[in-house]
Structures are given as structure tokens and as C-alpha cells.
Amino acid sequence: MHDRISNVGQIYTIGISNAGILNIGDSHQATPKARTMAIQKEGPTIKKDLQFEDYSIFRQKANWPKTLQSAKVRKKTIHHDVNINVRQVSLMALSTSSIFQVGNLNKISSEARVKHFRMLQDNEQN
């Protein structure tokens, strides 16, 4: 990987969360990972203690597409300028293992696992 100089004038962003990355400059490798439980609930607070290990989605190995693992790609990039010039970026949000990169990134492996819960109150009237 050939180093380049990243020149950034302005970046406006509202939020970065859940293993989101905003990176200016060169990086050899990025591996953001997020494990999240999203709960939509009616009524009083949750009394149950939720653990990632209780749900198989967080214990399973990732099922990456085989074509990506075995594909051999030859790539030649010619940089006509040693500088990467960015005048202005307006970015609303980065979340759940996403990356905004200004510069070189040699290898990326990103993963997000989300378990959604919907806990509704019993609608029976007493």
C-alpha cells in the first residue's frame, strides 16, 4: 500500500455510534464489529437480564459468501497525485460497523449482528 496524504477541509457529522468509524488517513486494516439488541417495548421497564450468549445469532460463525473468500483479484492502481483532496463532506450518521474513510484502506472485514425484540403488553381486559 502506497501512503498518500489526506487533506480534508471540513467534515460535518451529526452522529457516530455502534462501531462506526470516521478515519482520515491511511489504515492497513479495519475490522469493526457490533453486537446489538434492539428492544421495542410497551409498558414498564424490562426486568429480564438479557445476555448475548443466550441467543444463537451471537454464537454462530459468520457465513461469508464463498465467492469472496476464494476469488483471486489482481488489481493495479495508479495514483496520479500523492494527495487525496476533500473540500467538504456533510455526513448525517455512521452506525453499526460502517466506515467513512478518506485515505487508503488495505483490508476491511465488517460485521454487525442485531437481535430485535418486540415486547407487547397483553391486550386482554380484566
Side-chain angles (χ1 to χ4, degrees), residues 18 34-41 46 48-60 96 111-119:
N18 296 341
R35 298 187 320 165
T36 306
M37 290 189 207
I39 302 170
Q40 179 183 7
K41 185 171 184 320
I46 299 169
K48 182 180 178 187
D49 188 23
L50 301 173
Q51 300 293 323
F52 289 116
E53 296 76 25
D54 293 340
Y55 302 95
S56 64
I57 189 173
F58 300 115
R59 293 190 311 266
Q60 295 172 357
T96 317
E111 181 178 344
R113 296 181 186 215
V114 180
K115 174 69 176 168
H116 289 271
F117 296 92
R118 180 175 280 171
M119 298 176 177

